[in-house]
Amino acid sequence: MAGLYAALNLAPRSVTIISPKPLGFDASSAWAQGGVAAAMDEHDTPEAHANDTVMAGDGIVDADIATFVTSAAKEHVLELADVGTPFDRLGNGDFLMSKEAAHSFARVVRVKGDQAGAAIMRTLVKEVLNTPSITVMQGVTALDLIVKNNEMCGVVLANGENDPFVIQAKAYLMAAGGAGSLFMKTTNPPTVRGLALGMAARAGAEIADAEFVQFHPTAMDLELDPAPLATEALRGEGAILINKDGIQFMQNIHKDAELAPRDIVARAIFREHQSGNKPALDTRSAIGANIINQFPSVSEACLKSGIDPVRQPIPVIPAAHYHMGGVATDIKGKSSIKGLWISGEASSTGLHGANRLASNGLLEALVYAATASNGIIQAIENNEYKIFDKNLPVPKVGFNLIDEKVILELRKAMSNWVGVIRTGEDIAKALRFIKKLDLEHGGKSTNFDNMLAAATLIAAAAYLRKESRGGHYRKDFPNKNDNFQKRSKMNLVDALVLRNSL
Ligand SMILES: Cc1cc2nc3c(=O)[nH]c(=O)nc-3n(C[C@H](O)[C@H](O)[C@H](O)COP(=O)(O)OP(=O)(O)OC[C@H]3O[C@@H](n4cnc5c(N)ncnc54)[C@H](O)[C@@H]3O)c2cc1C
């Protein structure tokens, strides 16, 4: 969504989009179920939305960024509606909004219950394909950034058939998503596995808040990879969490019970799961047969796996869902590498802090796609950047396919040792294991090198944060510590030094 929205904002300037799959496939954006958070109601305000964002982020949200993003939210929802997104409406034409966890107001605009991401992406893909200034290269993956003296000179691309090739431009926007599929249990598409993070880090970019991964509490536990999501809106509609004995376990844990912040619900479900209590989401009395029409994606995934959501509770398990960390950007969406902008989940702008407020992910992707592309327009008009000379220091890339079994080993290590509940000892195990994989397989596949770099950064930052905050929970340091009340910043060199020291 970030990439497409930015390309449209840049029109009529010439833009090339690189996409490994046909546009809209295997992007988290197309899978988003809840919607976009925005203070659309006349009784709601961007200030209240910013305040909820700061509270959810558990002490380390950049309040200026929260104010900036929430103030821009309405404008971008209206823009999406203008280009044809069929948001759910009330009889009087106002937006129908869901209330999601940790929001003080019903402020999430949605489409047919759980279809927001798919509907917005369909709308944007259509617009992009109808915009003559945009060229789309489908079936192409970015492998490596070419950087000289900390300035972008080009990107190495591969299409799996021919030799890797280089593309150059006056400015580069990376919008290649988060890192969920670096973990074994995830709700993210398989291509969303830290490639942007790893690529930028290998090129020297500063990384922020890498330790903060949000585990969605209610992925469906149906032995599917990726795990389908039982959207939070179900709990917003009154669905309850029960264990195998039918006991509603959230009431004893948090005053907001099922609508407590995601990390608290995720840990409660994880513990029930570890104790063999088979946690499940029970939608029967709150939603009943309406689940079929109101939440078609959820119903379809259940029915495919032999669960009838009208009559049976849905088995759930926490799964890696959203990366609050990413490539560090300034307020304009620029990375520490000259000429490289980052938008969407690949970035770490400071909006989410230690924990993302529900439905702020798509919002950030939209606001920062617009902000970054405006920055690019300004930079190009001011002749700040040129297309780099032809004597490029082209890196040697490996484009062998890595055995999926090796990737699975990495993902298992991340889920087992850097997952919902962490300890220093486990994280050290993960870092030693990532090093072993690097020694055995590093340099053969640049894609895998990017994954290893991303995994190293997430684990190293998790090792160093000796406290529990937001999505990062350390069993050996279960409390918050004021000395850590700041965002983390790291580069790959420092993370590798730590990895080698363990
Ligand atoms: C199941 C699910 C439900 C969600 N629900 C919500 C919700 O209701 N509201 C909300 O706000 N957020 C939600 N989120 C989070 C939100 O969808 C994401 O944060 C957001 O879509 C990220 O957008 P993006 O444009 O940054 O990345 P994506 O939409 O993930 O797009 C990244 C693109 O980059 C491509 N790519 C990856 N690597 C490379 C490479 N090396 N070279 C070239 N291209 C590459 C990918 O194929 C993909 O097309 C949800 C996420 C999931 C997984």
Side-chain angles (χ1 to χ4, degrees), residues 418-457:
V418 200
V420 181
I421 295 184
R422 302 166 169 175
T423 63
E425 205 178 311
D426 279 350
I427 302 168
K429 247 188 243 170
L431 281 164
R432 286 194 292 268
F433 187 74
I434 298 165
K435 181 178 170 187
K436 176 177 161 289
L437 290 181
D438 209 349
L439 290 172
E440 287 169 6
H441 305 281
K444 293 179 196 157
S445 151
T446 305
N447 244 339
F448 192 56
D449 292 345
N450 290 331
M451 291 174 69
L452 290 170
T456 301
L457 279 152

Side-chain angles (χ1 to χ4, degrees), residues 1-2 20 28-29 32-35 142 176 188 191 322 344-345 356 359 361-362:
M1 191 172 291
S28 293
S29 300
Q33 295 184 356
N188 288 193
T191 55
Y322 188 86
E345 202 174 325
R356 176 189 67 132
S359 289
L362 292 181

